[in-house]
């Protein structure tokens, strides 16, 4: 006869057992710091008549090309799961686009479609980094970029840009010395957020040759590649590297195509990582929605005039900002070469977060505090000039009046 098992009878006595003393989240999650850009923007959003120049996005909505492509895809029933690496048609279209930009052939196996450039960076960190790996990063830097590598367990070495003749500059000797065979990866964001610094082709060649010798991965954040003030495409490592080089390029539809809210990007990497990125995508979100990918494909195929138009708008906005800020005695204006930011210093400012918060009340302008981009950013403010010139003119008049009082 089979034995019978009885569940114990639990009687509630009104006394709860003692709590186990464990943290409420992982140690790496507990180490995360809140965004200091958000500390300004969330306050600013509660105040009336603020001109928001704090986030990295343009004021213009996405093209009707993208909207119509997404609507058509939804009407046609594109409501289902997608391949982990992305739609094959989008991947092929991206290969053609990269060939136009960089003059190199690209194979579909090198492309992984992601839900934003940010997810592309996170997947790259997950693919490459083990706890304790050394990673080199250039400061000032967009905080999310370095943070996703630290979440993966990286130990970060930060090298600061310098200002030479009113331009941002990187000491290549210091960079090369920092990249030893023990360094797993170096992150290059060019054009840079927040500074607008652009790494020259000659310096990229030096970096690539050195990393070939050390076996170091180069992670290129190329999100602002098309927002280059001196040409259609900024100098890029994708134009120099072979398909086998240890180079991962992360890009996004957010900036050049004004699609921040769509959350769509892509990774270009050696084909040997295709299955790794496919699995990581599966274990994260299993790929962006199909109708969003179709919108991205349409913009790659037909959206070049939109990039040209945005470039013209940005040049006009930059001219307004340069003229206004260069004339303020308390401001050190440093010329950006790309992206759509001005990262400028203010004499005597020792707490950029407090100063940015105060500007919400005194100038009714929202800027990002420089310290949000690393300790070397203290003393600076970031202004996103991707706005209509009439909006900039009004905001700059109030801002300049306040800065003259500093």
């Amino acid at each position: 006869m089979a034995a019978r098992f009885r569940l114990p009878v639990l009687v509630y006595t009104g006394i709860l057992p003692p709590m186990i003393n464990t943290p409420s989240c992982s140690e790496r999650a507990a180490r995360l710091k809140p965004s200091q850009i958000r500390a300004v923007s969330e306050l600013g959003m509660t105040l009336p008549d603020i001109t928001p120049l704090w986030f990295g996005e343009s004021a213009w909505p996405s093209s009707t090309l993208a909207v119509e492509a997404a609507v058509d895809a939804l009407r046609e029933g594109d409501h289902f799961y997608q391949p982990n690496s992305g739609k094959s048609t989008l991947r092929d279209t991206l290969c053609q686009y990269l060939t136009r930009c960089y003059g190199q052939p690209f194979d579909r196996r090198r492309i992984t479609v992601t839900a934003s450039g940010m997810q592309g960076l996170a997947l790259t960190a997950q693919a490459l980094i083990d706890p304790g790996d050394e990673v080199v990063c250039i400061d000032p830097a967009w905080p999310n970029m370095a943070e996703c590598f630290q979440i993966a367990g990286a130990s970060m070495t930060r090298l600061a840009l310098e200002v030479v003749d009113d331009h941002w500059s990187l000491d290549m000797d210091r960079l090369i010395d920092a990249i030893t065979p023990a360094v797993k990866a170096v992150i290059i964001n060019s054009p840079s957020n927040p500074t607008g610094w652009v790494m020259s082709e000659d310096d990229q060649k030096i970096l690539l040759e050195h990393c070939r010798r050390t076996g170091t991965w180069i992670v290129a954040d190329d999100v602002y590649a098309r927002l280059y003030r001196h040409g259609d495409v900024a100098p890029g490592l994708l134009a120099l590297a072979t398909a086998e080089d240890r180079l991962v390029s992360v890009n996004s539809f957010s900036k050049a195509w004004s699609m921040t809210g769509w959350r769509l990007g892509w990774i270009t990497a050696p084909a040997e990582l295709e299955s790794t990125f496919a699995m990581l995508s599966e274990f994260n979100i299993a790929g962006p929605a199909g109708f969003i990918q179709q919108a991205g494909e349409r913009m790659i195929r037909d959206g070049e005039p939109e990039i040209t138009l945005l470039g013209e708008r940005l040049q006009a906005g930059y001219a307004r900002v340069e003229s206004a800020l260069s004339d303020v005695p308390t401001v050190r204006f440093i010329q950006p070469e790309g992206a759509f930011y001005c990262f400028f210093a203010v004499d005597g400012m020792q707490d950029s977060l407090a100063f940015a918060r105060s500007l919400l009340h005194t100038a009714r302008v929202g800027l990002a505090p420089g310290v949000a981009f690393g300790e070397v950013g203290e003393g600076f403010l970031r202004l996103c000039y991707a706005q209509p010139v009439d909006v900039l003119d009004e905001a700059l008049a109030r801002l300049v009046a306040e800065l003259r009082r500093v």
Side-chain angles (χ1 to χ4, degrees):
M1 185 175 187
R4 293 184 178 181
F5 294 92
R6 292 186 178 182
L7 294 174
V9 177
L10 300 180
V11 179
Y12 176 61
T13 63
I15 302 174
L16 295 175
M19 296 292 292
I20 299 174
N21 187 21
T22 58
S24 58
C25 60
S26 69
E27 183 179 340
R28 65 176 178 272
R31 287 198 301 265
L32 296 176
K33 297 178 181 178
S35 166
Q36 291 174 307
I37 303 173
R38 292 279 180 179
V40 176
S41 64
E42 291 182 3
L43 171 61
M45 290 175 186
T46 67
L47 302 174
D49 302 323
I50 300 295
T51 303
L53 307 178
W54 42 50
F55 289 147
E57 62 180 353
S58 72
W60 297 279
S62 303
S63 168
T64 55
L65 291 173
V67 176
E68 290 169 358
V71 170
D72 289 346
L74 285 169
R75 286 174 174 161
E76 292 166 5
D78 194 353
H79 309 157
F80 301 97
Y81 289 138
Q82 302 299 312
N84 286 337
S85 297
K87 284 182 177 292
S88 59
T89 54
L90 175 54
R91 295 167 74 197
D92 288 342
T93 302
L94 286 168
C95 287
Q96 296 164 14
Y97 167 77
L98 293 172
T99 296
R100 293 199 305 270
C101 288
Y102 299 109
Q104 299 257 42
F106 291 87
D107 185 278
R108 181 198 300 175
R109 294 173 301 165
R110 297 182 61 192
I111 305 295
T112 300
V113 179
T114 62
S116 75
M118 182 63 247
Q119 197 210 16
L121 286 167
L123 294 181
T124 300
Q126 292 172 29
L128 301 183
I129 301 303
D130 289 314
D133 281 344
E134 296 181 39
V135 174
V136 173
C137 180
I138 310 300
D139 270 357
W142 180 47
N144 299 30
M145 182 174 63
E147 197 63 49
C148 67
F149 282 82
Q150 292 183 133
I151 291 171
S155 173
M156 304 297 296
T157 296
R158 298 175 179 269
L159 295 180
L161 294 172
E162 302 170 339
V163 180
V164 179
D165 297 329
D166 292 327
H167 289 79
W168 293 100
S169 178
L170 175 65
D171 187 330
M172 283 300 294
D173 290 337
R174 290 181 59 229
L175 177 62
I176 295 305
D177 288 345
I179 303 173
T180 68
V183 171
K184 187 66 169 292
V186 55
I187 308 170
I188 300 296
N189 175 211
S190 171
S192 159
N193 174 12
T195 61
W197 165 77
V198 172
M199 190 178 217
S200 70
E201 181 178 340
D202 288 343
D203 284 350
Q204 289 180 358
K205 289 178 180 177
I206 293 170
L207 174 65
L208 181 59
E209 288 298 328
H210 181 74
C211 288
R212 284 169 174 165
R213 291 191 292 270
T214 59
T216 302
W217 283 92
I218 302 174
V219 179
D221 181 337
D222 290 328
V223 167
Y224 297 93
R226 298 301 305 278
L227 304 184
Y228 182 46
R229 293 189 50 240
H230 308 294
D232 289 337
V233 186
L237 286 151
L238 284 174
L240 305 173
T242 69
E244 292 75 33
D245 275 319
R246 292 191 166 192
L247 170 66
V248 177
S249 166
V250 177
N251 214 318
S252 170
F253 287 81
S254 291
K255 312 301 181 181
W257 291 274
S258 298
M259 295 176 66
T260 51
W262 298 72
R263 316 314 295 139
L264 185 65
W266 75 92
I267 295 168
T268 308
E272 67 186 58
L273 289 179
E274 178 186 20
S275 60
T276 298
F277 280 128
M279 286 187 291
L280 288 171
S281 180
E282 167 72 21
F283 299 145
N284 279 265
I285 66 164
F291 65 91
I292 291 177
Q293 293 190 50
Q294 292 210 41
E297 182 180 340
R298 179 72 182 277
M299 292 305 296
I300 292 289
R301 285 193 287 106
D302 302 327
E304 279 298 308
E306 301 291 330
I307 298 178
T308 301
L309 176 60
L310 177 61
E312 293 170 353
R313 288 167 166 168
L314 293 181
Q315 290 285 28
Y318 172 77
R320 291 299 213 280
V321 175
E322 180 186 33
S323 175
L325 294 182
S326 296
D327 195 40
V328 180
T330 55
V331 166
R332 185 178 187 186
F333 185 82
I334 305 156
Q335 295 184 26
E337 304 301 323
F340 46 35
Y341 309 106
C342 288
F343 199 61
F344 61 94
V346 180
D347 290 348
M349 180 177 64
Q350 297 180 345
D351 186 340
S352 58
L353 176 58
F355 193 81
R357 291 169 70 97
S358 72
L359 286 174
L360 295 173
H361 302 281
T362 58
R364 303 195 314 282
V365 176
L367 303 181
V371 72
F373 305 94
E375 292 181 6
V376 298
E378 187 57 276
F380 290 81
L381 296 167
R382 190 194 72 177
L383 182 155
C384 177
Y385 58 81
Q387 295 279 338
V389 290
D390 59 329
V391 173
L392 282 176
D393 286 344
E394 184 180 343
L396 286 167
R398 300 194 302 268
L399 177 63
V400 165
E402 188 59 33
L403 291 173
R404 287 185 181 278
R405 285 194 282 269
V406 174

